[in-house]
Amino acid sequence: MSDERRVPWILGTHLHPAVGPLERAPTDSRVLLIEAHDFARRKRYHHHKLTIVFAGMRQFRDTLRERGYEVEYIKAETFADGLATYFDRYPDDELVQMRSPSHRSAETFESLVEDAGGALDVVQNELFVGTRKAFDEWSNATDKDPFRHETFYRWMRQQTGVLMTDDGEPVGGEWNYDSENQDFPPESWDSPPVLEPEHDELTQQTSEWIAAEFDTWGSTTDLVWPVTRAQAKRKLDHFVANRLPSFGPYQDAMRSDDWAMAHALLGSSINLGLLHPWEAVTAIEQAYHERDEIPLNSAEGVVRQLIGWREFMRHVYRHEMPQLATANQLDAGTDLPAFYWTGNTNMSCLRQTIGAVRDRGYAHHIQRLMVLANFATLWGVQPAQLNEWFHATYVDAYHWVTTPNVVEMGQYGDGVFASKPYVSSANYIDKMSDYCSDCRYDKTKDTGNRACPFNALYWDFLDRNEDKLRSNHRMGLMYSHVDSKQESGAMTEIKDRVETLRQKQRHGEL
Ligand SMILES: Cc1cc2nc3c(=O)[nH]c(=O)nc-3n(C[C@H](O)[C@H](O)[C@H](O)COP(=O)(O)OP(=O)(O)OC[C@H]3O[C@@H](n4cnc5c(N)ncnc54)[C@H](O)[C@@H]3O)c2cc1C
Ligand code: SF4
């Protein structure tokens, strides 16, 4: 087939002009985008999430047209309808699409195109730093566990040369400065400014159309997320210039009324393709070498997220699907409490975090892990239900990235890379946040009317899952406490307290 008839089909999460088939197509060539609406009706997505996807696609359409591409932009209920329209017009075209990271997406799209009477070539996704092939070759050859994040991360640092010396050693002598990422800021610390993009009429109209057309969740105003590449690049520049220095020390801290702390706020843009992760990594590395005020624990901290965790999750997902989506090694079978949707709870940490997600479709990593997923794990929520919730409510959520983060890291569903559940009592939340000081519950108590629910639930969780967790050497200390609570009879009171908490939740009083 001649190259003229090979038409790039750009998905809504591939909105980058300089990668893949689009980069290689002449600037006057035809390009296809299908705005399929049925996926937006499948769940109650956050309004801002739908806005950045649909407005992002429409903005990208206009940018490509300005650059001379002949853009076929088809609005349709389903991809099948959109493809039927396309091949009616251009029966001789072959579509070429970068592989979406979603499970079996290539097979799904291939069969849709075949049903529409056309042809599709699915090619490598160039919106990651590494490739599937390189990971698979390395993981087959290595005698280490490729699904251990630290092993993978060191390999990625060596492969990319990022923050490496000429002698092949990590800059600063250590690979990982996580232990320097766990401070809580003094009261006098003001978090750095957040850059909020100005949205044009096209984005405004798209936002209003979404509010009218779909049953959404969360705020329908005050969109703070980029929808164009120019906005995303400005957000990256602003992060590197203003926020990066304090990212490191306060990465794990949580404060009331401080939704952004010093986080990058780049996840939605990177996952839409507005920014390539490599653009972020190189900007951060360059700034680190040029500016003395950027500590290594800040630069390494973000690099670890981008070339470590983000890439790692992609490979875990593709190797562990489909079983990862339903993995539930702790046999957790409880429904997600309704307050995840309403925010109606007396627990200050959860109320404030859920409120932040309703406002912007965002909460940072530790709020996701140690508040939202922690509580759900202690409560015994079925991991797939929490995964659904995250998928619907976050601006940066896509199945390939929520599933390993929520089911495995958040809820210890499978054990493929998590070596123990990330669970804690009020202790951790109190150490890393100011939520407890303004809470109706008492962080120091396990039982009694005002005792913090996390405490009783924590001991109950360990007791309930004893046969699966006691032999884990990383849990030994915790089980020595469980033993004393069992022997003293305190565990019986804890169980009663948990029963009361469950009743309170059923009556909307937790
Ligand atoms: C329960 C749970 C659910 C999560 N759901 C998502 C999700 O739906 N989408 C998503 O992109 N990330 C998810 N994460 C990972 C991480 O929390 C977010 O990427 C991060 O909070 C995004 O905010 P930021 O851009 O300010 O990131 P920062 O914390 O400033 O990090 C910089 C960048 O690193 C990348 N990154 C960091 N950690 C991860 C990770 N664990 N997995 C993938 N990328 C990572 C992101 O691209 C992020 O923009 C989840 C984590 C947990 C524990
Ligand atoms: S006391 Fe318990 S419920 Fe309240 S904020 Fe602290 S950890 Fe959360």
Side-chain angles (χ1 to χ4, degrees):
M1 174 160 302
S2 84
D3 273 1
E4 275 165 41
R5 283 165 29 205
R6 271 172 71 81
V7 173
W9 174 10
I10 312 298
L11 297 176
T13 48
H14 293 172
L15 304 180
H16 198 295
V19 295
L22 183 60
E23 184 195 22
R24 290 182 272 282
T27 38
D28 59 351
S29 60
R30 191 178 304 136
V31 169
L32 169 65
L33 284 102
I34 299 177
E35 188 184 289
H37 299 164
D38 68 331
F39 95 88
R41 300 187 207 286
R42 284 186 207 147
K43 26 183 143 263
R44 279 185 82 203
Y45 285 108
H46 198 294
H47 174 272
H48 294 184
K49 178 180 179 171
L50 293 182
T51 304
I52 62 172
V53 173
F54 287 134
M57 290 180 73
R58 293 174 185 187
Q59 297 280 358
F60 196 60
R61 168 198 65 194
D62 293 355
T63 306
L64 292 183
R65 280 184 181 154
E66 277 161 27
R67 289 185 186 180
Y69 291 95
E70 178 198 331
V71 181
E72 272 296 324
Y73 193 90
I74 300 176
K75 293 181 185 170
E77 189 54 25
T78 64
F79 279 119
D81 295 346
L83 287 165
T85 305
Y86 184 82
F87 285 111
D88 240 16
R89 285 182 203 155
Y90 309 105
D92 298 328
D93 281 0
E94 180 190 32
L95 298 175
V96 51
Q97 179 199 78
M98 281 203 308
R99 184 187 291 275
S100 152
S102 293
H103 181 60
R104 291 186 61 78
S105 71
E107 290 83 349
T108 306
F109 283 124
E110 273 159 4
S111 102
L112 284 172
V113 170
E114 200 184 312
D115 290 349
L120 172 68
D121 184 15
V122 176
V123 298
Q124 177 171 297
N125 187 325
E126 295 175 24
L127 280 166
F128 288 93
V129 174
T131 64
R132 292 155 51 110
K133 186 165 175 279
F135 176 86
D136 290 347
E137 281 173 7
W138 168 72
S139 66
N140 287 333
T142 183
D143 53 3
K144 299 187 180 134
D145 178 2
F147 293 116
R148 206 175 147 251
H149 176 259
E150 189 60 23
T151 307
F152 170 80
Y153 171 53
R154 290 181 189 190
W155 174 70
M156 283 295 284
R157 291 271 295 278
Q158 284 160 333
Q159 291 294 297
T160 57
V162 174
L163 293 180
M164 298 294 288
T165 66
D166 293 343
D167 302 329
E169 295 298 322
V171 167
E174 303 289 335
W175 291 97
N176 184 322
Y177 291 87
D178 191 34
S179 59
E180 294 175 30
N181 296 146
Q182 297 164 12
D183 293 347
F184 190 79
E187 238 173 69
S188 58
W189 182 76
D190 288 327
S191 50
V194 173
L195 180 74
E196 297 190 3
E198 279 183 23
H199 292 298
D200 66 8
E201 216 178 307
L202 175 60
T203 301
Q204 287 299 344
Q205 282 169 355
T206 309
S207 163
E208 285 160 24
W209 167 72
I210 286 165
E213 181 73 19
F214 302 106
D215 180 18
T216 60
W217 183 80
S219 164
T220 56
T221 56
D222 302 322
L223 178 73
V224 297
W225 306 108
V227 295
T228 67
R229 178 159 162 75
Q231 290 172 341
K233 279 168 56 176
R234 279 198 291 276
K235 197 142 182 107
L236 170 62
D237 291 346
H238 184 266
F239 167 67
V240 173
N242 300 286
R243 304 169 57 76
L244 178 59
S246 33
F247 173 89
Y250 305 138
Q251 192 181 338
D252 286 0
M254 304 175 273
R255 288 203 307 195
S256 305
D257 303 324
D258 192 346
W259 68 275
M261 298 294 289
H263 285 269
L265 312 178
L266 294 173
S268 67
S269 302
I270 293 173
N271 292 350
L272 276 182
L274 298 175
L275 267 185
H276 196 291
W278 189 244
E279 294 175 281
V281 170
T282 47
I284 289 158
E285 187 180 28
Q286 187 183 345
Y288 169 71
H289 288 305
E290 288 174 0
R291 286 169 38 207
D292 290 344
E293 86 274 17
I294 300 175
L296 183 52
N297 65 336
S298 283
E300 188 279 323
V302 197
V303 163
R304 181 170 4 108
Q305 311 308 320
L306 286 163
I307 66 169
W309 282 110
R310 185 171 188 274
E311 301 274 320
F312 181 70
M313 293 305 192
R314 172 221 191 177
H315 295 302
V316 167
Y317 176 82
R318 70 189 180 84
H319 277 272
E320 292 300 306
M321 282 295 289
Q323 66 273 14
L324 188 62
T326 51
N328 187 3
Q329 65 173 342
L330 298 180
D331 295 323
T334 310
D335 286 339
L336 187 71
F339 65 73
Y340 275 73
W341 294 103
T342 63
N344 196 1
T345 169
N346 294 315
M347 292 179 280
S348 168
C349 51
L350 278 153
R351 190 180 60 249
Q352 296 201 48
T353 303
I354 293 164
V357 183
R358 285 171 70 101
D359 288 348
R360 300 176 198 83
Y362 178 89
H364 73 66
H365 186 72
I366 294 300
Q367 293 163 320
R368 299 182 201 206
L369 185 64
M370 297 311 293
V371 177
L372 294 163
N374 182 16
F375 184 85
T377 309
L378 298 178
W379 194 252
V381 173
Q382 212 184 344
Q385 285 196 26
L386 186 70
N387 197 18
E388 276 288 298
W389 182 83
F390 268 100
H391 192 184
T393 58
Y394 274 77
V395 285
D396 51 29
Y398 299 93
H399 197 250
W400 71 268
V401 65
T402 59
T403 305
N405 272 300
V406 178
V407 174
E408 173 68 352
M409 185 186 270
Q411 292 206 262
Y412 195 50
D414 184 276
V416 52
F417 68 81
S419 55
K420 71 176 187 60
Y422 278 101
V423 283
S424 80
S425 63
N427 262 345
Y428 178 87
I429 295 173
D430 186 41
K431 184 175 143 232
M432 293 313 300
S433 80
D434 58 5
Y435 295 140
C436 300
S437 55
D438 156 39
C439 185
R440 186 166 165 187
Y441 291 107
D442 184 341
K443 65 190 181 194
T444 64
K445 296 214 161 56
D446 290 353
T447 54
N449 203 17
R450 286 286 163 95
C452 168
F454 279 81
N455 293 340
L457 286 167
Y458 177 71
W459 297 116
D460 173 62
F461 170 84
L462 293 178
D463 184 65
R464 224 171 53 229
N465 292 292
E466 189 172 356
D467 55 334
K468 294 184 178 115
L469 300 178
R470 185 184 274 277
S471 57
N472 183 327
H473 69 278
R474 298 190 63 198
M475 310 286 291
L477 179 65
M478 291 302 112
Y479 274 97
S480 65
H481 295 305
V482 170
D483 288 341
S484 21
K485 288 189 189 299
Q486 285 168 344
E487 281 153 25
S488 67
M491 193 61 87
T492 312
E493 281 178 54
I494 284 169
K495 297 265 173 205
D496 289 347
R497 172 69 179 150
V498 168
E499 192 37 49
T500 308
L501 293 173
R502 292 197 186 278
Q503 275 174 23
K504 273 169 154 305
Q505 190 271 323
R506 281 195 286 277
H507 294 110
E509 292 165 0
L510 189 59

